[in-house]
């Protein structure tokens, strides 16, 4: 498959199924009371996170349908409806959440399978107006499932994320999401001793300005870049870790 910022349609679709199975197994071990407890995301309970994951699966189905048919089908009708649906569904019993997660995941899998290969380059619009080829949508969904599993705060951390996922996310963040970002200083992110293990991102360096070097494992870098950690396990010989804008 053609590579879009680290995406591979078939590989990422299979990874979504595996990540969803892990999520469902972990969530099935919870109870109704635990879903009402705070998640790692400010202002959201675990129920909010699960409701968002189910509705995001349907939003991705909308985009895959758009790519397949050419008929514009936005992710959500609007931001207010998206937020209202999450609030509405957050307090549901565990059994209802699990059923919704399973059935929405099945709809996503079916939509992935229904997209013809020749439609993979077709661009659709994500939230915020960002346009992306349909080939990247399974990786987008994988990001939601993997990172929000961590956000549930039920034992899974960024250190537990699959290495292939971590590498793909670092490619997306450093190569597209953070590249040239005016609020991010020039960064030199090192995961090993050689230059082959270095990624550059952030805004361009001003004349005479050196990039800030941050060193650590790929998982530690991903945790910091996505705001899932405070940078534990990273070293920055140039001073304190720079502040990063929150991911929208």
């Amino acid at each position: 498959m053609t590579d879009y910022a680290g995406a591979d349609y078939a590989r990422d679709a299979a990874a979504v199924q595996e990540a969803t199975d892990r999520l469902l197994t972990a969530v099935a071990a919870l109870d109704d009371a635990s879903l009402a407890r705070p998640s790692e995301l400010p202002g959201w309970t675990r129920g909010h996170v699960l409701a968002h994951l189910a509705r995001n699966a349907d939003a991705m189905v909308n985009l895959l349908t758009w790519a397949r048919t050419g008929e514009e089908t936005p992710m959500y009708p609007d931001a207010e409806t998206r937020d209202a649906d999450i609030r509405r569904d957050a307090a549901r019993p565990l059994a209802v959440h699990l059923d919704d997660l399973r059935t929405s995941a099945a709809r996503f899998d079916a939509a992935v399978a229904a997209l013809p290969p020749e439609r993979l380059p077709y661009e659709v619009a994500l939230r915020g107006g960002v346009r992306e080829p349909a080939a990247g949508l399974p990786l987008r969904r994988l990001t939601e499932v993997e990172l929000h599993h961590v956000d549930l705060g039920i034992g899974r951390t960024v250190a537990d994320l699959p290495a292939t996922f971590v590498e793909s996310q670092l490619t997306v963040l450093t190569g597209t999401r953070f590249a040239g970002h005016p609020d991010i200083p020039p960064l030199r992110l090192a995961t090993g001793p050689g230059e082959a293990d270095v990624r550059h991102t952030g805004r361009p360096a001003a004349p005479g300005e050196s990039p800030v070097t941050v060193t650590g494992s790929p998982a530690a870098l991903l945790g910091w870049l996505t705001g899932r950690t405070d940078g534990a396990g990273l070293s920055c010989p140039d001073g304190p870790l720079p502040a990063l804008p929150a991911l929208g």
Side-chain angles (χ1 to χ4, degrees), residues 19 57 96 109 137 143 146 159 191 215 221 239:
V96 179
D109 292 342
L137 296 178
T143 302
E146 290 285 21
T191 57
T215 302
L221 284 170

Side-chain angles (χ1 to χ4, degrees), residues 189-212:
L189 307 177
T191 57
E195 284 303 308
D197 302 313
V198 171
R199 300 170 190 261
H200 292 270
T201 195
R203 61 172 171 75
E209 181 183 21
S210 297
V212 178

Side-chain angles (χ1 to χ4, degrees), residues 9 13-14 16-17 20 57-58 60-69 101-117 120 137-138 141:
Y9 193 79
V16 170
Q17 293 177 344
T20 301
D58 287 335
M60 290 295 173
V61 170
N62 288 342
L63 294 181
L64 288 162
T65 302
W66 180 357
R68 178 173 55 82
T69 65
L101 288 168
R102 290 191 188 100
T103 56
S104 60
R107 290 191 291 270
F108 173 80
D109 292 342
V112 167
L115 187 68
L120 290 176
L137 296 178
R141 175 61 182 171

